[in-house]
mmCIF file of all heavy atoms in Angstrom:
data_model
loop_
_atom_site.group_PDB
_atom_site.id
_atom_site.type_symbol
_atom_site.label_atom_id
_atom_site.label_comp_id
_atom_site.label_asym_id
_atom_site.label_seq_id
_atom_site.Cartn_x
_atom_site.Cartn_y
_atom_site.Cartn_z
ATOM 1 N N GLY Z 114 79.869 91.845 60.405
ATOM 2 C CA GLY Z 114 80.405 91.686 59.051
ATOM 3 C C GLY Z 114 81.647 90.817 58.985
ATOM 4 O O GLY Z 114 82.061 90.212 59.980
ATOM 5 N N ASP Z 115 82.204 90.773 57.782
ATOM 6 C CA ASP Z 115 83.290 89.842 57.469
ATOM 7 C C ASP Z 115 84.654 90.503 57.357
ATOM 8 O O ASP Z 115 85.620 89.864 56.958
ATOM 9 C CB ASP Z 115 82.995 89.155 56.123
ATOM 10 C CG ASP Z 115 81.745 88.312 56.188
ATOM 11 O OD1 ASP Z 115 81.469 87.756 57.268
ATOM 12 O OD2 ASP Z 115 81.040 88.204 55.170
ATOM 13 N N PHE Z 116 84.720 91.800 57.660
ATOM 14 C CA PHE Z 116 86.008 92.479 57.548
ATOM 15 C C PHE Z 116 86.906 92.075 58.711
ATOM 16 O O PHE Z 116 86.445 91.937 59.845
ATOM 17 C CB PHE Z 116 85.824 93.996 57.596
ATOM 18 C CG PHE Z 116 85.229 94.563 56.340
ATOM 19 C CD1 PHE Z 116 83.868 94.647 56.167
ATOM 20 C CD2 PHE Z 116 86.061 95.013 55.323
ATOM 21 C CE1 PHE Z 116 83.322 95.165 55.001
ATOM 22 C CE2 PHE Z 116 85.524 95.534 54.156
ATOM 23 C CZ PHE Z 116 84.152 95.607 53.997
ATOM 24 N N ILE Z 117 88.199 91.886 58.403
ATOM 25 C CA ILE Z 117 89.145 91.624 59.493
ATOM 26 C C ILE Z 117 90.509 92.222 59.140
ATOM 27 O O ILE Z 117 90.998 92.054 58.030
ATOM 28 C CB ILE Z 117 89.266 90.106 59.797
ATOM 29 C CG1 ILE Z 117 89.985 89.882 61.120
ATOM 30 C CG2 ILE Z 117 89.943 89.340 58.675
ATOM 31 C CD1 ILE Z 117 89.161 90.157 62.349
ATOM 32 N N LYS Z 118 91.045 92.968 60.087
ATOM 33 C CA LYS Z 118 92.409 93.483 59.925
ATOM 34 C C LYS Z 118 93.333 92.569 60.719
ATOM 35 O O LYS Z 118 93.237 92.502 61.951
ATOM 36 C CB LYS Z 118 92.492 94.922 60.452
ATOM 37 C CG LYS Z 118 93.907 95.479 60.442
ATOM 38 C CD LYS Z 118 93.906 96.991 60.410
ATOM 39 C CE LYS Z 118 94.053 97.644 61.755
ATOM 40 N NZ LYS Z 118 95.461 97.856 62.163
ATOM 41 N N ILE Z 119 94.165 91.837 60.012
ATOM 42 C CA ILE Z 119 95.054 90.911 60.717
ATOM 43 C C ILE Z 119 96.223 91.698 61.304
ATOM 44 O O ILE Z 119 96.889 92.463 60.620
ATOM 45 C CB ILE Z 119 95.585 89.821 59.775
ATOM 46 C CG1 ILE Z 119 94.425 89.003 59.227
ATOM 47 C CG2 ILE Z 119 96.577 88.923 60.514
ATOM 48 C CD1 ILE Z 119 94.855 87.883 58.321
ATOM 49 N N GLU Z 120 96.426 91.503 62.594
ATOM 50 C CA GLU Z 120 97.595 92.066 63.286
ATOM 51 C C GLU Z 120 98.196 90.936 64.093
ATOM 52 O O GLU Z 120 97.523 90.383 64.965
ATOM 53 C CB GLU Z 120 97.166 93.156 64.296
ATOM 54 C CG GLU Z 120 96.859 94.496 63.710
ATOM 55 C CD GLU Z 120 96.575 95.526 64.814
ATOM 56 O OE1 GLU Z 120 97.212 95.470 65.879
ATOM 57 O OE2 GLU Z 120 95.699 96.362 64.584
ATOM 58 N N ILE Z 121 99.415 90.587 63.787
ATOM 59 C CA ILE Z 121 100.102 89.534 64.545
ATOM 60 C C ILE Z 121 101.458 90.081 64.986
ATOM 61 O O ILE Z 121 102.287 90.437 64.154
ATOM 62 C CB ILE Z 121 100.300 88.260 63.700
ATOM 63 C CG1 ILE Z 121 98.939 87.723 63.222
ATOM 64 C CG2 ILE Z 121 101.047 87.203 64.510
ATOM 65 C CD1 ILE Z 121 99.040 86.539 62.274
ATOM 66 N N MET Z 122 101.626 90.162 66.289
ATOM 67 C CA MET Z 122 102.875 90.722 66.822
ATOM 68 C C MET Z 122 103.430 89.828 67.916
ATOM 69 O O MET Z 122 102.702 89.372 68.778
ATOM 70 C CB MET Z 122 102.600 92.088 67.436
ATOM 71 C CG MET Z 122 102.137 93.100 66.425
ATOM 72 S SD MET Z 122 101.161 94.313 67.266
ATOM 73 C CE MET Z 122 100.184 94.932 65.944
ATOM 74 N N LYS Z 123 104.742 89.620 67.847
ATOM 75 C CA LYS Z 123 105.384 88.798 68.877
ATOM 76 C C LYS Z 123 106.150 89.663 69.846
ATOM 77 O O LYS Z 123 106.737 89.158 70.791
ATOM 78 C CB LYS Z 123 106.329 87.814 68.212
ATOM 79 C CG LYS Z 123 105.567 86.732 67.477
ATOM 80 C CD LYS Z 123 106.484 85.671 66.954
ATOM 81 C CE LYS Z 123 105.654 84.517 66.391
ATOM 82 N NZ LYS Z 123 106.227 83.992 65.184
ATOM 83 N N ASP Z 124 106.190 90.952 69.549
ATOM 84 C CA ASP Z 124 107.108 91.829 70.255
ATOM 85 C C ASP Z 124 106.322 93.028 70.733
ATOM 86 O O ASP Z 124 105.631 93.676 69.947
ATOM 87 C CB ASP Z 124 108.170 92.223 69.213
ATOM 88 C CG ASP Z 124 108.952 93.438 69.618
ATOM 89 O OD1 ASP Z 124 108.354 94.531 69.661
ATOM 90 O OD2 ASP Z 124 110.150 93.298 69.871
ATOM 91 N N SER Z 125 106.374 93.321 72.022
ATOM 92 C CA SER Z 125 105.579 94.446 72.500
ATOM 93 C C SER Z 125 106.400 95.723 72.592
ATOM 94 O O SER Z 125 105.871 96.779 72.906
ATOM 95 C CB SER Z 125 104.956 94.118 73.857
ATOM 96 O OG SER Z 125 105.978 93.834 74.770
ATOM 97 N N LYS Z 126 107.687 95.645 72.291
ATOM 98 C CA LYS Z 126 108.509 96.857 72.317
ATOM 99 C C LYS Z 126 108.331 97.650 71.025
ATOM 100 O O LYS Z 126 108.074 98.845 71.041
ATOM 101 C CB LYS Z 126 109.980 96.496 72.512
ATOM 102 C CG LYS Z 126 110.873 97.722 72.602
ATOM 103 C CD LYS Z 126 112.293 97.345 72.976
ATOM 104 C CE LYS Z 126 113.172 98.587 73.086
ATOM 105 N NZ LYS Z 126 114.588 98.233 73.249
ATOM 106 N N TYR Z 127 108.443 96.965 69.882
ATOM 107 C CA TYR Z 127 108.334 97.659 68.588
ATOM 108 C C TYR Z 127 106.993 97.402 67.910
ATOM 109 O O TYR Z 127 106.663 98.066 66.946
ATOM 110 C CB TYR Z 127 109.483 97.241 67.680
ATOM 111 C CG TYR Z 127 110.833 97.596 68.256
ATOM 112 C CD1 TYR Z 127 111.675 96.613 68.769
ATOM 113 C CD2 TYR Z 127 111.242 98.924 68.333
ATOM 114 C CE1 TYR Z 127 112.900 96.939 69.329
ATOM 115 C CE2 TYR Z 127 112.465 99.256 68.894
ATOM 116 C CZ TYR Z 127 113.291 98.257 69.386
ATOM 117 O OH TYR Z 127 114.498 98.588 69.940
#
Side-chain angles (χ1 to χ4, degrees):
Chain Z
D115 296 327
F116 287 88
I117 193 76
K118 174 157 96 88
I119 299 182
E120 281 185 36
I121 301 175
M122 296 154 204
K123 289 187 172 140
D124 162 292
S125 59
K126 182 173 181 188
Y127 299 107

